[in-house]
Amino acid sequence: MKQSKNNHNGESSGNQTNDPLSSTLSERERKTLHSSYVQAGIKWMGMLHGISSAVAEMKNGLLVVTVTLPESYSKPVKDEMFIRILKNCREWNCLEMERRMRRLYLIVYSDKGKAGFMVRSDEMDNEEFVQRAREIREFGKTRKLLYDRIYEREEVMGM
């Protein structure tokens, strides 16, 4: 019996005949896209500003991306910044997301803690370091929805 190819690594899918350009990401594809997104700039946003963002899932062409801002972050944040980082990450093209995604659902939260921080070790005493580490450990446990928005494919591609 002929086996179909199911992903970019050439793994076969057994007797399934899944379309390699499915509008649903497998868990492995989602993790790959998320990792690439983080490496493309989200990691730095976490270290410098305490902001977190993640590729949560994609089913039936709806790509879900979450963003969590620390309550202490006072600068305006534009959705386009996260979308541009996503579109410019290495795996966006490898996974042919431009063809697979139909809509993007962006969910934005606030949180009391921070996703991360970056300082020179000689600029911080132990007590301050412990306090910041606590904020990171608690991050995500006090999330509150700020807003959510659905972007059509054309809007995303135009950013």
Side-chain angles (χ1 to χ4, degrees):
M1 181 169 265
K2 194 172 187 178
Q3 293 182 336
S4 64
K5 300 283 182 182
N6 192 27
N7 64 31
H8 299 285
N9 295 327
E11 292 180 8
S12 63
S13 62
N15 293 332
Q16 298 174 351
T17 56
N18 292 339
D19 177 7
L21 285 179
S22 168
S23 60
T24 298
L25 290 178
S26 68
E27 183 60 17
R28 184 176 188 174
E29 289 172 319
R30 186 206 59 83
K31 286 180 179 179
T32 299
L33 181 59
H34 171 73
S35 178
S36 182
Y37 177 50
V38 169
Q39 292 171 16
I42 298 303
K43 177 180 178 180
W44 289 102
M45 294 178 74
M47 290 189 312
L48 297 172
H49 303 290
I51 297 171
S52 172
S53 185
V55 175
E57 69 178 323
M58 186 169 102
K59 291 184 180 177
N60 300 320
L62 180 65
L63 179 62
V64 180
V65 175
T66 61
V67 174
T68 306
L69 308 168
E71 286 180 355
S72 61
Y73 193 75
S74 59
K75 297 178 184 175
V77 177
K78 295 185 178 183
D79 297 352
E80 293 83 9
M81 176 175 52
F82 300 98
I83 295 170
R84 282 192 208 121
I85 291 171
L86 180 63
K87 284 180 23 188
N88 288 300
C89 75
R90 178 184 66 249
E91 291 300 323
W92 179 266
N93 289 327
C94 293
L95 292 170
E96 299 185 55
M97 293 302 296
E98 186 173 340
R99 291 178 53 198
R100 297 171 75 178
M101 182 205 65
R102 294 186 189 117
R103 299 164 94 190
L104 186 139
Y105 181 37
L106 187 71
I107 307 168
V108 181
Y109 300 96
S110 69
D111 193 280
K112 289 183 181 178
K114 292 183 178 180
F117 65 93
M118 184 172 69
V119 294
R120 289 178 36 172
S121 62
D122 60 343
E123 293 178 353
M124 182 182 290
D125 63 20
N126 286 340
E127 192 172 312
E128 185 179 357
F129 183 83
V130 168
Q131 177 57 35
R132 289 198 183 187
R134 281 188 188 124
E135 289 176 356
I136 292 169
R137 190 174 56 243
E138 295 300 313
F139 188 73
K141 294 179 181 176
T142 58
R143 282 195 325 185
K144 295 178 188 171
L145 179 66
L146 289 177
Y147 66 91
D148 58 351
R149 178 166 179 206
I150 294 179
Y151 289 90
E152 297 298 326
R153 181 188 174 283
E154 294 76 22
E155 288 179 278
V156 171
M157 299 320 298
M159 291 182 186

